[in-house]
Amino acid sequence: MKREPIEWPVVALGATFTGLGAACAAPGRVLVVERTMLVGGERIAAFRPGESWHRETATDEGRKLQQEFIERRLIGEEGAAHLPAMSPVLFRWIQERRLRVRFLTEIVGIEPSGDGYMLTLHDASGLSRIRTRHLLDTTDERISRLLLGNAGEDLENQHSGKAISAMLHGEGELPADKVIPIEGTDGNAIVTAGLLPGEAMLRMPLRKEADWPEARQSLHDFWRGRRSEWSGWMIAAIADVMTAEAPRGPHAVAAGWTWLPSGAYANGLQAFDAGNEWMRKEELGHDLVKTS
Amino acid sequence: MILSKRVDDEQLHEDVGSVVFEQSYDLIVVGLGTAGSVALLAAARRGLRVLGIERSNGMGGVGTNGAVLCYYFGSKGGLYEEIDAEAMALESEGYAPSVGINGELKKLMLERRAFEAGAEIRYEATLTGVYRDGKTVRGVRWFEGGRQRGAGAAIVLDCTGDAEVCAMAGCETRFGREWDCQPQPFSNVLVVWDGKRVTFQYTDSGYVDPTDAGDLSRAVVESALQATHLKDSYEEGPRFLKLAPQLGIREGRFIRGEREVTFASYVGDDVTEEPLFYAYSNLDNHSKDIAFESELQRDWTVVGSLWGLNFSVPVPVGALIPRGYDGLMAAGRCIALDHDLAGCVRMKRDMQKCGEAAAIVAAAAIAHGVQPREAPYAAIKPLLQETGCLRAENHVGLKDTRTHEDELNPRVRWLTDEEEVREGLAGGKPGLAIWSARREGARLKPKLKEWAAQTADSNLRRHAAFALALLRDEAALPALREALRERDSFVPRTSRKYNQVRGYAAIYLLGKLADESSVPELLQVLKEAETYRNPTTDVEFIADDCEYGFQYYSFALMALGEIGRRHPGARSVIAEALLREASRDGMSWMISFKGGRITNIKHDMTAKLKEAARRIVQGWEADEAADATGG
C-alpha cells in the first residue's frame, strides 16, 4: 500500500463535522483519522438532531455545505434536519475536495517529538507512524486524553451527559409532551421530531460510566416500559455512537494539542464552521506569521 | 516469546522475552461477528473461560452492524436459531417490524446470552499483536481504552473475517482468484423504512482489498456516493434510517489449513467423512467478469450455467486450523477455502455454524488436553448434533433452486443413465446433463461424439460438444466453431438466473482446446463486440448491449491468450491485435454490478481488459526470454 507522507501539519482526530471543517480549510495540510467508517458520526450515527440548521453559517464553506443540504431537502425551513442522508453528502465533500481521511484507523500512541508529536496509527495494514505539529481532537469524549499521561487532566471531568439515542418511527403526530421521565431516576428522555413524516429521535441519558451493553439494555428496558401515549412509536434503529456533552472549545490540552469537541454546537454546520475557522486562524495564521 | 505485529504492511516479529499474562483464558475469540459471536456464546455455555475482543461496539457482524438482515440459503440448525427466535420475540416490545432478523435485537440478545453464560467481552478493542512460541500461539495483544493490553489463552480463535490473527502470527494465507487476486465485490448497505418495515438495500459497490488500509478508505468513500445513497432529494422513496457502520465484505483472506476445502476437491468428490457442519448454497459469485475466473469455475458457471445449482459441502476441522500452527484456529469466511468455493461457503447460517463448531472443537481439545487437530471426532460429533449444528439432513447433495424458499426446491442428482443424459443435452436445461457427462468421462464419450456429430438436433449437438470439450476431446470442435461463427445467442434455462450465452461459452471452450483455427474469428470478435446487440433477457447479469459485448470480448481475449500460450506460432498475430486493443482509444466497457441494473450504476472495466491484453503478451515474452536463456 502506498503510505501517506509521514509529516502532517495537523492531524484531526475524528471525521466529525468539526474535523471535516478543519480539513476543508486546508485540504493538503490536515489528515483526518477516524476509527470507524462514519462521517459526522457524533451527529448522524448518534441520531443527535440539534436545531437551527437553517441559521446563517459563519464560514463560506459552511454556507456551501448548508446550501447543498437544503438543495437535497435535508434541512427544513424551520431548521430541522434529516440526519441519515447527510452522510453521503459529507462523503461527496471528502472526494470532491480531496480531503485526506483515513477511515478504520485509530491512534494507538502519542509521543512528544520536536515541536509536535509522533503518532502511532493502527489500521488494516498494521501499525505506522506519522509526525504532526498539531493534534486536533474533535471527539466529544476527548479520546486522545487516554493516550499521553496526564495531558489535559484539568479537562478530565469536563465531558459529561452521556446518552444513547434511537430513531423512532410512528404514524401521526408526536405526543405533545416530548419529555419522558425515566422511572427510578431523576433523568428524562427527550424526543425530537425529525424532518420527514414519521421520523423522530429519542435521546435517553446514561450514567457517565455506562458502556455499550448497559446502554443497549437500558434503552430496551426504558422503551419497553414506555407510557401508553408513546405506544404508536417504535424503535426503528439504534444509534451507533453514544453522545457526550462537552464544553465548547477550543481547549488547549498541551502545546500543539487542542480539544475542539464537535458535539458542543447546536448543529453540525456550526461544528463544521468551528473547525474551519480554527484551522484558518490557528494553523494558517501560524504559517503566515512564520513567512511574513 | 515472540510478539508478532504488522508494521507498515509487513510482518514484524519481536522477541519480548518471558511474558506473564495478567489474564489467561481457555479461549480468546478475536472478532465477534457472524462466526465469532456464536463461538463466544457456545464456548461460554460449555464452561470455557472465554474472552471476546471486538473492534466495533456490538456483536453479530454482517447480520447486525452490517444490516444484512435476511438469510440467503445456508444450512438450518444450530445455536444461532435460538438467538434469532429470541430476537424476533422481542420485536413486539416496542420495535418497528423488520425484515429477516431484527439486527438491533439480535445484537442485544447475543450480548445478553453471552454475559449470562459468563463470557467476557471487550468492545472497541483492536487487535495489535499475537504472542507465540514458535508456531504455538499463546495469546494476543490489543489496544483498548488508550492502552495496549494482553492476555493469554490455550486457544485463540480468529474470527476476524480476514484472518488477521493468523496473518499476524505468520500463517500462510491466500487471497482472491488466481488470475488477478480479485475477491468478490463488496456492498455498502443502507437501512431504510420502506413504508411497512425496516429493511435493507444494497447494490454491489465494487472491489476492495480489506487488508489494505488505503483501499478500505477509498471503498468507504466511493461506495457511499452511488446513486442509491447520494440522491438529489430524499423526500420520495424509502426513508433512510442509517448507513450500515460495517461494509459488506464477501471475501478476504483465507488461511491455508491442515485440510483445504476447494472447489476442485468438491467437484472431485474429495470431501470429508467427518464434517463439523454442512455449508449449503450455490456458487454465488457476484462478479460479472467471469472470463477471468478459474478454469474450473468457468467450466461450472459458463459451460454448465450451473450458477443456480445449490449443493452441500461438508466442512472438516482441518479447514479451521492454520497449517502447522498450534493454539490457533479460525472460523468464519477466512477458513481454508479457495476463492471459487468461498462463493458457496460464506452464507450467514453456515458461518454461525462454523463459529459454533469451532467452539465445540476448542472445548473438546481443552478437555482432552490436546491440540484442536487431535480432538477426537467421536467426542465432537455428538456435541455438534445436540444443537443441530451438524444434521444429516443438511447434506442434501444437489438442489435445483427456483426459489429462496428452499423447502420447495427439488433435490437432483448427477445423471448416469445414457438416455437421461441425452434427454438433458437435447433440452433447454442442459447443465445437469453436461456436468454429468463430464463426471462420467470416458464411458460416455462414444455417445457424446455421436451426438455432437449429428446435425438434426442443434441443442443436442452443441451441448454434447460442450461436454466433450470439458473432457478435452477435440471432437467438440466442429460444433463449437459453428456456435462461434453464428455468435450463438441461445441462453439455457438451467439456473434461475445467471445462465450463460452459448456463443461465448463456445469461445471459452475453443480457448480451452487451444483451437488455433479459431484465431481469425476470435480476432473478429474483438473488433466487433462493441457493436453487438443484446438478445438476452436476464438483465441482472447482462443489462444492455455493452454488457453483452463485454462478455464476448473478454472471453475472446482470454481464449486468444490460451491459444497463443499453447501455439507459439500463433502468437505474433494475436499479440499484434492484443497490443492494439490495449492502446486503443475510445474503448469503453461500462458494466453494472449485481443489483446495479435497477439503479443504472456502472463500473468501468476498460482498464481491466486492456491490462489483461498487455499481461497476456508480456507473459509470452517472458516465456520466450526464459526459453532463449535456457531458464
Side-chain angles (χ1 to χ4, degrees), chain B residues 478-499:
Chain B
L480 295 178
R481 291 169 184 151
E482 208 172 79
L484 165 60
R485 278 196 304 275
E486 292 174 16
R487 309 299 187 262
D488 185 351
S489 62
F490 174 83
V491 180
R493 289 174 287 104
T494 299
S495 290
R496 67 181 187 281
K497 57 184 181 181
Y498 277 40
N499 294 288

Side-chain angles (χ1 to χ4, degrees), chain A residues 1-3 34-38 44 47 68 71-74 82 84-89 91-95 101-109 122-129 143 146-147 167-171 196-200 212-214 216-217 219-221 223-226 233-241, chain B residues 5-10 54-59 65 90 92-97 102 104-105 107-108 111-112 115 123-128 143 145-148 164 168 188 191 193 195 198 210-218 220-225 229-235 239-247 253:
Chain A
M1 157 197 151
K2 184 180 173 186
R3 300 301 258 184
E34 170 55 49
R35 190 180 182 278
T36 71
M37 56 176 269
L38 303 172
I44 299 169
F47 296 148
E68 183 165 350
E71 284 169 1
R72 294 184 190 271
R73 307 280 194 267
L74 297 178
H82 175 55
M86 288 183 165
S87 290
V89 175
F91 280 116
R92 196 189 77 74
W93 274 56
I94 289 172
Q95 189 180 68
V101 184
R102 282 209 203 167
F103 291 99
L104 298 162
T105 300
E106 66 188 301
I107 298 176
V108 299
H122 188 275
D123 58 28
S125 299
L127 295 162
S128 62
R129 304 186 91 191
I143 58 179
L146 301 170
L147 288 163
M167 183 70 77
L168 303 180
H169 169 78
E171 308 289 333
L196 301 181
E199 175 183 74
W212 274 99
E214 180 180 329
R216 273 189 279 270
Q217 192 61 54
L219 177 65
H220 177 77
D221 291 340
W223 198 246
R224 183 178 54 176
R226 67 198 184 284
W233 287 80
M234 300 165 287
I235 291 177
I238 295 174
D240 293 309
V241 173
Chain B
K5 302 180 276 194
R6 289 185 80 203
V7 180
D8 290 335
D9 214 10
E10 289 179 2
E54 166 56 41
R55 197 181 181 283
S56 76
N57 55 39
M59 294 171 75
N65 291 330
L90 285 180
S92 60
E93 295 186 4
Y95 292 77
N102 188 304
E104 308 289 9
L105 291 170
K107 199 186 297 187
L108 181 73
E111 186 174 85
R112 189 188 283 182
F115 283 136
Y123 286 129
E124 294 175 326
T126 304
L127 176 76
T128 55
F143 181 79
R147 65 182 183 90
Q148 297 284 354
E164 289 172 36
M168 267 187 212
N188 185 327
V191 187
W193 173 259
V198 174
T211 69
D212 179 322
D215 205 36
L216 259 181
S217 280
R218 174 201 59 78
V220 165
V221 174
E222 287 181 4
S223 60
L225 302 182
H229 293 49
L230 183 66
K231 299 185 178 188
D232 290 338
S233 167
Y234 294 82
E235 290 168 325
R239 190 172 82 235
F240 280 28
L241 295 172
K242 58 170 147 178
L243 271 62
Q246 175 177 324
L247 289 182
R253 272 194 209 97

Side-chain angles (χ1 to χ4, degrees), chain B residues 300-528:
Chain B
W300 179 271
T301 305
V302 182
V303 181
S305 279
L306 291 169
W307 178 91
L309 188 70
N310 278 21
F311 53 95
S312 50
V313 180
V315 178
V317 68
L320 280 60
I321 300 173
R323 192 181 294 168
Y325 276 73
D326 290 333
L328 180 62
M329 295 178 69
R333 58 178 168 78
C334 66
I335 61 174
L337 305 164
D338 65 353
H339 161 78
D340 287 348
L341 196 62
C344 171
V345 182
R346 64 176 178 83
M347 304 312 166
K348 287 195 305 171
R349 285 189 170 111
D350 299 335
M351 296 300 93
Q352 289 172 128
K353 283 176 180 285
C354 191
E356 181 177 1
I360 289 172
V361 171
I366 289 168
H368 285 82
V370 298
Q371 289 296 326
R373 70 172 68 79
E374 294 151 348
Y377 185 70
I380 294 169
K381 184 177 177 181
L383 301 177
L384 294 166
Q385 291 173 323
E386 200 173 83
T387 63
C389 183
L390 176 65
R391 300 199 308 198
E393 58 262 44
N394 287 146
H395 197 22
V396 298
L398 304 172
K399 275 196 172 188
D400 179 12
T401 62
R402 296 288 138 188
T403 166
H404 287 191
E405 304 289 334
D406 196 53
E407 306 76 37
L408 303 176
N409 291 320
R411 287 197 192 193
V412 294
R413 54 173 178 76
W414 298 122
L415 307 174
T416 54
D417 178 75
E418 187 182 288
E419 191 46 41
E420 285 182 336
V421 171
R422 186 193 184 288
E423 191 180 333
L425 294 176
K429 289 182 59 171
L432 198 69
I434 291 171
W435 201 266
S436 297
R438 176 193 184 276
R439 287 173 60 89
E440 289 302 305
R443 184 178 76 82
L444 272 185
K445 263 201 192 180
K447 276 295 175 185
L448 290 173
K449 289 182 181 181
E450 179 188 311
W451 297 332
Q454 59 81 40
T455 56
D457 185 330
S458 171
N459 275 349
L460 180 63
R461 173 180 168 78
R462 292 193 182 176
H463 298 148
F466 274 23
L468 279 170
L470 291 182
L471 295 168
R472 297 191 182 276
D473 195 310
E474 291 189 351
L477 287 174
L480 295 178
R481 291 169 184 151
E482 208 172 79
L484 165 60
R485 278 196 304 275
E486 292 174 16
R487 309 299 187 262
D488 185 351
S489 62
F490 174 83
V491 180
R493 289 174 287 104
T494 299
S495 290
R496 67 181 187 281
K497 57 184 181 181
Y498 277 40
N499 294 288
Q500 301 299 306
V501 178
R502 198 158 60 188
Y504 61 72
I507 288 175
Y508 161 61
L509 291 170
L510 288 165
K512 188 179 178 81
L513 294 174
D515 181 38
E516 196 174 354
S517 75
S518 292
V519 168
E521 197 69 43
L522 293 173
L523 292 176
Q524 188 62 23
V525 170
L526 289 188
K527 281 187 189 158
E528 66 189 27

